[in-house]
Amino acid sequence: MRSLPPSLGHHRLSADLGQAPLCASRRLPVVMAAAKEEVPSPAASPAASPAQNGPAKQLQRIASIPVVTRTDGSDYLEIRNLRDALTPQDSPFVATNNAGAGFVGDTDLVRISIMNYDSQESSGSHRDHGAQTGAVLYDPAKNQAIPLPNFALRSGPRKTIYHNPKDVTAAIVTCGGLCPGLNDVVQNIVYTLDDYGVPEDQIFGIRYGLRGFLDRHAKPVQLSRQTVDGIQLKGGTVLGTSRGNAKIPAIVERLRLWGINQLYVIGGNGGNAAAHSIAKECREQGVLCNVVGVPKSIDNDIQLIDRCFGFDTAVEEAQRSLISARVEARSSGGISVVKLMGRQSGFIAMNASMASGVVDVCLIPEIRFDLEKLCDFVQAIMARKDYCVVCVAEGAGQDIMDSSGPKGTDASGNPILQDIGVFLRDVFKKRFKGVDVKYIDPSYMIRSIPTITTDRIYCKVLGQGAVHGAFAGYTDFTVGLVNTHYVFLPTTTIIQFPRTVDPRGRQWNRLKTAINQPDM
């Protein structure tokens, strides 16, 4: 067995995470044989016939969406697996029939789209390509509807597993910005690995995101039931996080040297893209490692998934800020501008506005607005009730601000945004002389809090599902909730482009009618 490189010597750890760095004990031998490369099944119809309201070119299936078509004609999103290079065996839960609940079948399927529209005139049907039955990914930037198979694989424990738990060395990494629930997911991955029988000295946390694989000052730390006990009560991530630093070949070389054969990447679109690249590089380098994503996005902008963990908590806390903003505005007869998270997707601003019931104007990235029309509407509100609350997502109004503002992208590849909150505050101060204008940005307070009940439960199931999928031999997938059922989704499918609010959809329409907001 090859010894670990000198850069992984003992190192002082945070009190939150115990005192055991990654060591050479019980490490797996390096696997040099590449797993068999799987070729996704071709789509049933590579160039599907067009629906009534769109050209055929919008329905070309893209190569990165793998599909399996069964003999009965049903099709589902294919999840890559490493089973040909692994040894099948009974799950440790067979003796109790999974505590009496039984197991999930390998082709248990969950329907991706449950809609069957009356016609192309039905509300929301444009995103599903008119009256067409079946699931699609809709990219509003390109007005492109990409057809999907009807089903996704159901998440859950399988009766047959493909890793001997005693031979598993697992690593967990949290990537990107903070989001409520990171600690919850880490904890439940550790708990589930322990339930399978993975020795506690073979479960590790990577410090400070992907850079922790390569930073000699950020040693991996040992995780166990004891070290993660109670971390769900804390905000942030006890492992630390960072943006970018996805030096994929070097990261995979670390996986090989350290003998890691299960990697859990908790991240958003960027984190899942990195997870896919790691899985791809593992295949190319011949490193046998199941790479699993857990979708983290406070903006709720990951495709297909009902909601991302932390979103419910963010909406709950955001609406508190909006209610406080109303108190400020009403007390002074002024205007309160509250900026919430949402670079490309306005789900938090929309849902918090709806939940609070105190917002007069909601601005989101998906819908452009005219500054004069906005000011006229705010003036009308002020004339009617003497105060106004404006909720704006951080990505809204980028097209109307001074073009000399910040340019480029951040370490995660996200566009650097100009501050729409400060911009609107200054515009309102100039337009409404003598009116008290308050600007509130609670973003980092929202990001750093512990989860509320619904998110805490959700995180538990996501953590469990991630481990069940890895033990089932699957790789390059993420686990999430689709139509209220937990599924495995190919990473390549969910990172095509961000999920966004539908400007013609029912959710946005409900808010507009609730607050009587006109088109601006």
Side-chain angles (χ1 to χ4, degrees):
M1 183 177 294
R2 188 176 300 178
S3 61
L4 289 175
S7 62
L8 284 179
H10 287 274
H11 123 103
R12 189 180 182 90
L13 302 178
S14 162
D16 285 339
L17 292 170
Q19 298 291 325
L22 181 58
C23 61
S25 66
R26 311 186 72 166
R27 193 175 61 83
L28 289 176
V30 175
V31 178
M32 295 303 297
K36 180 180 178 182
E37 181 75 14
E38 293 182 342
V39 180
S41 303
S45 53
S49 59
Q52 297 176 12
N53 67 333
K57 67 178 182 179
Q58 290 185 340
L59 285 174
Q60 298 292 324
R61 195 184 299 278
I62 57 179
S64 55
I65 296 182
V67 181
V68 174
T69 301
R70 301 200 300 186
T71 54
D72 63 2
S74 61
D75 55 1
Y76 61 91
L77 286 166
E78 182 181 37
I79 306 298
R80 185 178 294 277
N81 69 71
L82 304 177
R83 290 178 176 181
D84 286 352
L86 300 171
T87 304
Q89 56 204 277
D90 283 345
S91 164
F93 309 131
V94 166
T96 62
N97 192 29
N98 191 31
F103 295 88
V104 171
D106 249 359
T107 52
D108 280 3
L109 302 177
V110 174
R111 187 174 289 278
I112 295 174
S113 175
I114 59 175
M115 294 302 300
N116 191 2
Y117 295 104
D118 175 72
S119 74
Q120 61 186 6
E121 303 300 323
S122 295
S123 177
S125 65
H126 62 285
R127 283 212 166 188
D128 287 345
H129 215 71
Q132 173 183 315
T133 300
V136 300
L137 288 179
Y138 180 74
D139 182 1
K142 298 180 180 178
N143 189 30
Q144 181 184 42
I146 302 168
L148 296 173
N150 290 312
F151 297 97
L153 283 178
R154 184 184 178 196
S155 171
R158 268 58 175 174
K159 193 172 184 179
T160 299
I161 62 173
Y162 290 83
H163 284 281
N164 182 336
K166 301 301 181 185
D167 293 332
V168 168
T169 299
I172 307 168
V173 61
T174 53
C175 306
L178 292 183
C179 174
L182 288 166
N183 287 335
D184 302 68
V185 175
V186 169
Q187 181 190 67
N188 285 283
I189 291 174
V190 173
Y191 281 176
T192 310
L193 288 167
D194 180 74
D195 290 342
Y196 268 94
V198 178
E200 66 177 27
D201 62 347
Q202 293 171 204
I203 306 172
F204 299 95
I206 306 299
R207 302 303 306 275
Y208 303 113
L210 295 174
R211 75 175 174 89
F213 281 101
L214 308 173
D215 187 343
R216 60 188 298 270
H217 300 294
K219 311 295 186 186
V221 293
Q222 185 176 308
L223 301 176
S224 65
R225 278 189 175 269
Q226 181 179 3
T227 59
V228 300
D229 180 42
I231 65 172
Q232 82 279 10
L233 305 177
K234 303 175 182 180
T237 164
V238 295
L239 295 180
T241 187
S242 64
R243 295 185 181 275
N245 297 294
K247 299 175 181 178
I248 303 302
I251 289 172
V252 172
E253 176 64 12
R254 279 290 191 269
L255 297 178
R256 184 184 68 81
L257 288 172
W258 297 346
I260 292 170
N261 56 2
Q262 290 186 9
L263 173 63
Y264 299 91
V265 182
I266 308 170
N269 281 301
N272 275 274
H276 168 64
S277 296
I278 291 170
K280 184 171 181 286
E281 185 70 18
C282 281
R283 295 196 299 274
E284 293 176 358
Q285 289 195 28
V287 175
L288 196 61
C289 180
N290 299 87
V291 182
V292 184
V294 182
K296 174 229 72 174
S297 173
I298 203 168
D299 292 350
N300 202 37
D301 63 351
I302 294 182
Q303 285 289 344
L304 296 182
I305 296 170
D306 290 357
R307 74 178 193 278
C308 298
F309 75 80
F311 175 69
D312 279 359
T313 303
V315 171
E316 176 70 20
E317 190 67 16
Q319 62 99 26
R320 296 180 194 276
S321 298
L322 292 170
I323 292 171
S324 297
R326 176 182 181 270
V327 173
E328 282 287 347
R330 190 177 184 185
S331 298
S332 63
I335 301 170
S336 285
V337 178
V338 181
K339 186 182 75 173
L340 299 177
M341 295 79 70
R343 285 181 169 274
Q344 297 168 282
S345 305
F347 288 105
I348 291 181
M350 177 178 67
N351 283 272
S353 295
M354 190 72 169
S356 67
V358 301
V359 170
D360 300 297
V361 183
C362 180
L363 306 172
I364 60 176
E366 294 85 345
I367 300 175
R368 293 190 175 190
F369 61 91
D370 180 85
L371 196 56
E372 279 304 310
K373 289 183 179 179
L374 170 63
C375 289
D376 289 345
F377 183 55
V378 170
Q379 187 170 24
I381 292 168
M382 293 290 291
R384 175 166 53 87
K385 63 177 191 178
D386 297 328
Y387 70 94
C388 179
V389 177
V390 178
C391 176
V392 57
E394 61 182 321
Q398 295 298 304
D399 58 304
I400 67 171
M401 286 185 280
D402 186 353
S403 60
S404 64
K407 301 291 184 182
T409 58
D410 63 17
S412 297
N414 299 311
I416 296 174
L417 301 176
Q418 299 179 72
D419 196 326
I420 183 63
V422 171
F423 176 80
L424 290 179
R425 179 200 64 189
D426 294 344
V427 166
F428 292 153
K429 282 186 174 181
K430 291 178 182 177
R431 174 70 178 262
F432 304 103
K433 301 294 185 182
V435 173
D436 184 25
V437 181
K438 294 285 198 312
Y439 170 48
I440 301 170
D441 181 0
S443 300
Y444 290 101
M445 290 184 288
I446 294 172
R447 289 181 181 278
S448 61
I449 64 173
T451 50
I452 62 173
T453 305
T454 54
D455 270 329
R456 186 156 294 164
I457 294 170
Y458 189 28
C459 289
K460 288 181 185 293
V461 185
L462 291 177
Q464 293 167 1
V467 177
H468 291 321
F471 269 97
Y474 294 120
T475 190
D476 200 2
F477 74 95
T478 193
V479 60
L481 195 66
V482 173
N483 290 327
T484 73
H485 292 275
Y486 292 89
V487 301
F488 298 146
L489 297 169
T491 311
T492 50
T493 300
I494 65 166
I495 62 174
Q496 295 294 328
F497 32 76
R499 178 181 174 224
T500 56
V501 173
D502 182 0
R504 294 164 55 190
R506 296 290 298 126
Q507 275 190 300
W508 179 248
N509 179 260
R510 291 187 191 107
L511 175 63
K512 282 178 60 182
T513 55
I515 65 178
N516 295 314
Q517 178 170 315
D519 292 329
M520 290 185 290

PDB file of all heavy atoms in Angstrom, residues 41 410 496:
ATOM      1  N   SER A  41     -27.737   5.752 -24.346  1.00  0.00           N
ATOM      2  CA  SER A  41     -28.612   5.294 -25.412  1.00  0.00           C
ATOM      3  C   SER A  41     -29.086   6.475 -26.223  1.00  0.00           C
ATOM      4  O   SER A  41     -29.337   7.557 -25.683  1.00  0.00           O
ATOM      5  CB  SER A  41     -29.821   4.571 -24.815  1.00  0.00           C
ATOM      6  OG  SER A  41     -29.392   3.500 -24.008  1.00  0.00           O
ATOM      7  N   ASP A 410     -16.761  36.471 -11.295  1.00  0.00           N
ATOM      8  CA  ASP A 410     -16.108  36.135 -10.034  1.00  0.00           C
ATOM      9  C   ASP A 410     -15.427  34.772 -10.160  1.00  0.00           C
ATOM     10  O   ASP A 410     -15.395  34.172 -11.233  1.00  0.00           O
ATOM     11  CB  ASP A 410     -17.094  36.185  -8.872  1.00  0.00           C
ATOM     12  CG  ASP A 410     -18.219  35.158  -8.993  1.00  0.00           C
ATOM     13  OD1 ASP A 410     -18.086  34.189  -9.776  1.00  0.00           O
ATOM     14  OD2 ASP A 410     -19.239  35.312  -8.308  1.00  0.00           O
ATOM     15  N   GLN A 496     -27.285  22.625 -17.505  1.00  0.00           N
ATOM     16  CA  GLN A 496     -27.378  23.198 -18.852  1.00  0.00           C
ATOM     17  C   GLN A 496     -27.467  24.723 -18.802  1.00  0.00           C
ATOM     18  O   GLN A 496     -26.774  25.425 -19.523  1.00  0.00           O
ATOM     19  CB  GLN A 496     -28.604  22.641 -19.586  1.00  0.00           C
ATOM     20  CG  GLN A 496     -28.540  21.165 -19.872  1.00  0.00           C
ATOM     21  CD  GLN A 496     -27.442  20.816 -20.858  1.00  0.00           C
ATOM     22  OE1 GLN A 496     -27.118  21.603 -21.742  1.00  0.00           O
ATOM     23  NE2 GLN A 496     -26.850  19.649 -20.698  1.00  0.00           N
TER      24      GLN A 496
END
